[in-house]
């Protein structure tokens, strides 16, 4: 009996492993069997929220279950990230991510999680540029004129953002560092609160997501001075890059989906396949183009590599700008 125990235990362990694999496969075959929650770290109406809703509408129509947006705002998107990281890795709680998540790794000194370690990449979604915009009342019509105005009026200009650690914030901090001008950072809780103050001239400059700014530019309520990407953007070919005035400047935006670490690979695969199918849909591609973005279909590993590379890039920007949040 004593000699038989180890074999008995091994049989039980093997059986348990087989059952676990079977259960995981069965769960994946039924996925999704109930609504899926997609957390967005910023308020409704901002760039990430707009794109996330486009994607979730498509997934809801094609996967037979609702993909529901929850705007969990605060701390530059980190509250949403923490909520997802602490959730069950079963495919029913996902995070819509962007540069703010890569920036947070080096900008915030006391995060209760390690974003790269504690998340599983699922799929890339979109790449786009930020847009440097000013109210028509500001006496600057080019990037150089804004630099000259800032130097002639030190400390007068204010720079809005959608919160510490966002690409909107760090795009501006990088510009300040590279041009050696002063602009007072004014963080807002969300884009809907920010834009009225920008349009009326209470705030002077925004390096905002193109999706949130472009309609106001087309309506003449804001002026677009430049895009933050390294090259001119296809949808705005007459708008220069900041780099044409400030050589070496570059800051673009990307979006994607991650899950808590430990999510079954089969479910990761189902979601990745679905997102990539969405990104091949001509109607969704056209909606992305209207918002100023391009789809970035990727495998989970490719999207993981993008997040890692962006984390390293933004770490260098944070160090260069001397930015920090406790």
């Amino acid at each position: 009996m004593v000699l038989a125990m180890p074999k008995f235990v091994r049989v039980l362990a093997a059986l348990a492993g087989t059952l676990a694999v079977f259960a995981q496969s069965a769960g994946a075959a039924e996925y999704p069997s109930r609504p899926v929650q997609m957390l967005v770290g910023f308020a409704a109406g901002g760039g990430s929220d707009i794109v996330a809703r486009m994607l979730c509408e498509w997934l809801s129509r094609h996967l037979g279950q609702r993909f529901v947006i929850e705007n969990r705002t605060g701390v530059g998107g980190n509250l949403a990230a923490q909520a997802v990281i602490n959730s069950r890795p079963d495919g029913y709680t996902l995070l819509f991510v962007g540069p703010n998540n890569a920036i947070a790794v080096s900008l915030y000194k006391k995060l209760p999680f390690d974003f790269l370690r504690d998340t599983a990449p699922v799929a890339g979604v979109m790449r786009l540029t930020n847009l440097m915009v000013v109210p028509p009342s500001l006496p600057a019509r080019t990037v150089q004129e804004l630099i000259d105005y800032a130097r002639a009026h030190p400390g007068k200009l204010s720079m809005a953002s959608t919160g510490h650690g966002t690409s909107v914030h760090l795009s501006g901090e990088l510009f300040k560092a590279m041009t050696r001008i002063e602009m007072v950072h004014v963080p807002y809780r969300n884009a809907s609160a920010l834009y009225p103050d920008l349009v009326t001239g209470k705030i002077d400059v925004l390096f905002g997501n193109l999706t949130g700014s472009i309609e106001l530019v087309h309506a003449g309520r804001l002026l677009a001075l430049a895009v933050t990407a390294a090259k001119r953007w296809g949808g705005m070919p007459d708008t220069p890059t900041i780099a044409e005035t400030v050589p070496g400047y570059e800051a673009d935006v990307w979006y994607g989906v991650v899950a808590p670490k430990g999510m079954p690979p089969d479910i990761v695969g189902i979601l990745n396949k679905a997102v990539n199918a969405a990104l091949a849909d001509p109607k969704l591609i056209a909606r992305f183009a209207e918002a100023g973005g391009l789809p970035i279909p990727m495998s989970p590993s490719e999207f993981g590599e993008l997040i890692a590379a962006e984390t390293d890039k933004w770490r260098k920007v944070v160090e260069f700008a001397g930015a920090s949040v406790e």
Side-chain angles (χ1 to χ4, degrees):
M1 185 68 177
V2 173
L3 292 176
M5 281 296 292
K7 182 177 180 180
F8 178 67
V9 170
R10 289 198 299 273
V11 170
L12 284 179
L15 179 60
T18 300
L19 289 174
V21 170
F22 177 78
Q24 188 179 97
S25 299
E30 298 171 357
Y31 179 85
S33 60
R34 54 187 170 89
V36 178
Q37 186 179 43
M38 180 86 75
L39 269 67
V40 175
F42 302 97
S48 58
D49 175 77
I50 291 170
V51 179
R53 289 180 188 276
M54 290 181 189
L55 177 65
C56 283
E57 287 173 10
W58 193 98
L59 295 174
S60 297
R61 289 197 307 270
H62 291 82
L63 291 185
Q65 289 289 342
R66 292 178 62 215
F67 279 68
V68 182
I69 294 290
E70 179 183 338
N71 299 95
R72 186 76 63 90
T73 63
V75 198
N78 288 313
L79 291 185
Q82 185 174 4
V84 172
I85 287 169
N86 291 340
S87 69
R88 292 183 61 185
D90 56 6
Y92 291 94
T93 307
L94 306 172
L95 180 67
F96 198 76
V97 297
N100 61 290
N101 300 105
I103 292 167
V105 173
S106 53
L107 182 70
Y108 288 84
K109 305 307 178 187
K110 297 179 181 179
L111 286 178
F113 57 83
D114 183 318
F115 187 77
L116 292 176
R117 181 196 66 202
D118 297 335
T119 61
V122 174
V125 175
M126 177 197 271
R127 186 181 292 276
L128 69 161
T129 182
N130 280 341
L131 191 62
M132 183 183 188
V133 293
V134 299
S137 58
L138 191 74
R141 296 296 179 267
T142 67
V143 173
Q144 188 60 55
E145 287 180 2
L146 183 134
I147 294 171
D148 294 340
Y149 182 85
R151 289 174 177 165
H153 304 83
K156 182 178 180 180
L157 286 182
S158 54
M159 177 191 78
S161 83
T162 46
H164 290 286
T166 61
S167 70
V168 177
H169 173 209
L170 266 292
S171 294
E173 292 293 344
L174 179 61
F175 183 80
K176 287 165 58 178
M178 294 184 71
T179 58
R180 294 182 173 85
I181 65 171
E182 289 298 323
M183 292 190 291
V184 178
H185 177 218
V186 182
Y188 285 74
R189 288 186 60 85
N190 55 64
S192 60
L194 181 161
Y195 280 109
D197 285 355
L198 184 66
V199 168
T200 57
K202 294 179 181 178
I203 300 294
D204 299 308
V205 185
L206 174 70
F207 295 77
N209 293 162
L210 190 146
T211 47
S213 301
I214 194 166
E215 289 187 8
L216 291 169
V217 171
H218 289 329
R221 301 180 68 190
L222 291 176
L223 300 177
L225 300 191
V227 297
T228 64
K231 297 180 180 179
R232 293 197 179 199
W233 205 248
M236 304 179 69
D238 295 329
T239 303
T241 66
I242 292 176
E244 290 174 40
T245 303
V246 185
Y249 182 97
E250 178 184 359
D252 57 6
V253 181
W254 49 271
Y255 296 131
V257 179
V258 303
K261 182 181 179 181
M263 193 165 82
D266 287 351
I267 295 180
V268 172
I270 290 170
L271 284 168
N272 179 265
K273 183 178 179 180
V275 172
N276 285 342
L279 302 183
D281 186 322
K283 292 182 179 179
L284 190 62
I285 292 173
R287 292 185 68 190
F288 278 9
E290 289 174 1
L294 300 170
I296 49 170
M298 295 180 171
S299 68
S301 61
E302 288 171 336
F303 185 50
E305 291 171 1
L306 170 65
I307 295 174
E310 287 288 306
T311 299
D312 184 59
K313 181 188 84 173
W314 284 109
R315 176 186 57 77
K316 295 173 183 176
V317 173
V318 167
E319 293 174 354
F320 183 74
S324 176
V325 177
E326 292 297 330

